[in-house]
Amino acid sequence: AQSVAQPEDQVNVAEGNPLTVKCTYSVSGNPYLFWYVQYPNRGLQFLLKYITGDNLVKGSYGFEAEFNKSQTSFHLKKPSALVSDSALYFCAVRDMTGGYNKLIFGAGTRLAVHP
Amino acid sequence: DAGVIQSPRHEVTEMGQEVTLRCKPISGHDYLFWYRQTMMRGLELLIYFNNNVPIDDSGMPEDRFSAKMPNASFSTLKIQPSEPRDSAVYFCASTLRSSSSRGTDTQYFGPGTRLTVL
């Protein structure tokens, strides 16, 4: 079965410092991997995804993610954090079980960026 | 496009009452998903539809929950009777599968309905 794990419930970063939010996956076949962000009282917003090709994927708001097949990881990164990046971040993997398309989400990681 | 539309945005009701949540997916999308989010259990997939047909409702917690999609532009999630433990934020999301010419598999979420059952 497809699954993703986000090992950290919360990540704390000082504004201006680089940030990393971790995600590992377990899939059969080639993974389709996604990152979503949820700001307070809002729905989830798509940030970026990896399907194939370049292992470094660039997305919205200056975020990027690195696909690492040997480590089965897809960590979200940003070179310089902003206070406004504080939110809940979800990693997800596409599940095609039965020929139907859905996403399996991780438990989420709360990112707190301090001034 | 207006994105996924959900109504109402907030619902407060008393235990035992019927609650109906509504969703309008993005035009042209062939999948629709209903999720529930709570602090305790995080984000849970309740049910999803493909071309208006329910595919997997194994996430629906009890028979009190039901969902319908009478056409490609509308879906409802009904709780009858409602209980305090149903209090949560309910999200609807839609996508177009990547095998379609413009499909991306990316799910787009609505703003959610915050349900409070007293």
Side-chain angles (χ1 to χ4, degrees):
Chain A
Q2 325 287 48
S3 66
V4 291
Q6 295 182 244
E8 303 155 317
D9 290 336
Q10 177 149 337
V11 171
N12 297 296
V13 178
E15 187 176 30
N17 283 1
L19 71 87
T20 298
V21 183
K22 296 179 180 178
C23 173
T24 59
Y25 66 88
S26 175
V27 303
S28 55
N30 295 321
Y32 278 34
L33 297 160
F34 299 76
W35 276 102
Y36 282 79
V37 59
Q38 185 181 26
Y39 298 103
N41 302 311
R42 304 286 294 275
L44 278 70
Q45 296 180 32
F46 168 72
L47 272 181
L48 52 81
K49 69 179 177 184
Y50 171 84
I51 297 176
T52 187
D54 195 348
N55 289 344
L56 187 63
V57 181
K58 294 188 183 297
S60 306
Y61 311 122
F63 283 94
E64 58 189 26
E66 186 172 9
F67 172 71
N68 188 317
K69 188 173 183 177
S70 62
Q71 297 185 3
T72 61
S73 67
F74 189 55
H75 300 333
L76 181 70
K77 300 180 180 183
K78 188 173 182 180
S80 179
L82 300 172
V83 173
S84 58
D85 293 330
S86 299
L88 186 58
Y89 290 81
F90 291 94
C91 181
V93 63
R94 189 185 72 167
D95 182 356
M96 289 291 289
T97 302
Y100 294 100
N101 177 332
K102 66 180 182 183
L103 294 182
I104 307 297
F105 285 89
T109 298
R110 189 164 299 281
L111 173 67
V113 182
H114 305 284
Chain B
D1 199 315
V4 176
I5 299 172
Q6 291 187 246
S7 64
R9 292 294 308 277
H10 303 273
E11 178 79 38
V12 180
T13 190
E14 292 188 346
M15 182 174 62
Q17 297 298 307
E18 177 180 296
V19 175
T20 299
L21 312 181
R22 297 172 176 79
C23 175
K24 177 179 169 55
I26 292 173
S27 177
H29 281 190
D30 59 351
Y31 279 84
L32 183 140
F33 303 82
W34 282 102
Y35 293 88
R36 179 172 70 176
Q37 186 178 35
T38 61
M39 290 293 291
M40 290 298 294
R41 291 188 298 272
L43 190 67
E44 302 173 276
L45 175 62
L46 300 178
I47 184 172
Y48 70 99
F49 297 81
N50 176 224
N51 292 324
N52 314 336
V53 176
I55 300 303
D56 184 354
D57 65 354
S58 61
M60 297 284 261
E62 301 173 33
D63 291 345
R64 298 184 296 105
F65 286 69
S66 62
K68 295 182 179 180
M69 192 166 185
N71 57 63
S73 59
F74 184 65
S75 177
T76 60
L77 178 68
K78 186 175 294 186
I79 309 172
Q80 166 63 18
S82 58
E83 296 183 3
R85 58 192 167 130
D86 301 332
S87 296
V89 181
Y90 291 81
F91 290 105
C92 176
S94 70
T95 190
L96 180 63
R97 80 176 91 185
S98 58
S99 56
S100 301
S101 61
R102 296 184 179 180
T104 65
D105 289 337
T106 299
Q107 288 187 20
Y108 294 91
F109 282 73
T113 296
R114 182 174 297 276
L115 173 65
T116 303
V117 184
L118 302 174

